[in-house]
Amino acid sequence: MSDNKKIAQERIKILFEEADKIFENSPKLANRYVELARKIAMKVNLRLPKQLKRKFCKHCYSYLKPGVNSRIRIHKNKVIIYCKNCKKYTRIPLK
């Protein structure tokens, strides 16, 4: 992995941590952090880790906090994440 990708990965991790901290006070700012993290990842052509991919909605790109603005269920060997902002589902198969 090149230096640029390592730096980008660290920054993305920091942005998601900050989004988690600030979500209660300012959900809009948390969404902005997710947007910035995605832009950084796209700029250096870096895949987001699985645990970070599940922290934002694939449709509206808003930061997801289970129980607050998202619902997570398991149904028929799938993890179903429902976003309360855009009212769409993300289905992730379980192995």
Side-chain angles (χ1 to χ4, degrees), residues 59 75 78-82 88-94:
H59 306 282
H75 180 70
K78 286 187 181 83
V79 175
I80 300 170
I81 303 169
Y82 174 71
K88 293 199 176 180
Y89 295 92
T90 302
R91 293 176 184 89
I92 303 162
L94 287 172

Side-chain angles (χ1 to χ4, degrees), residues 5-61:
K5 286 192 178 184
K6 285 181 184 174
I7 293 167
Q9 203 169 30
E10 288 171 22
R11 287 186 180 170
I12 289 167
K13 189 179 171 189
I14 290 166
L15 280 167
F16 271 96
E17 286 169 3
E18 290 299 316
D20 192 44
K21 287 178 195 171
I22 203 147
F23 182 80
E24 276 186 42
N25 301 327
S26 177
K28 278 189 176 182
L29 190 56
N31 294 343
R32 175 71 178 143
Y33 288 161
V34 169
E35 187 183 321
L36 290 172
R38 287 186 67 250
K39 279 186 180 180
I40 291 169
M42 286 189 280
K43 185 107 175 170
V44 296
N45 194 15
L46 178 74
R47 285 182 114 167
L48 290 174
K50 193 184 291 185
Q51 67 266 20
L52 295 183
K53 273 186 185 178
R54 295 179 183 189
K55 288 188 177 184
F56 67 92
C57 177
K58 303 286 182 290
H59 306 282
C60 66
Y61 305 116

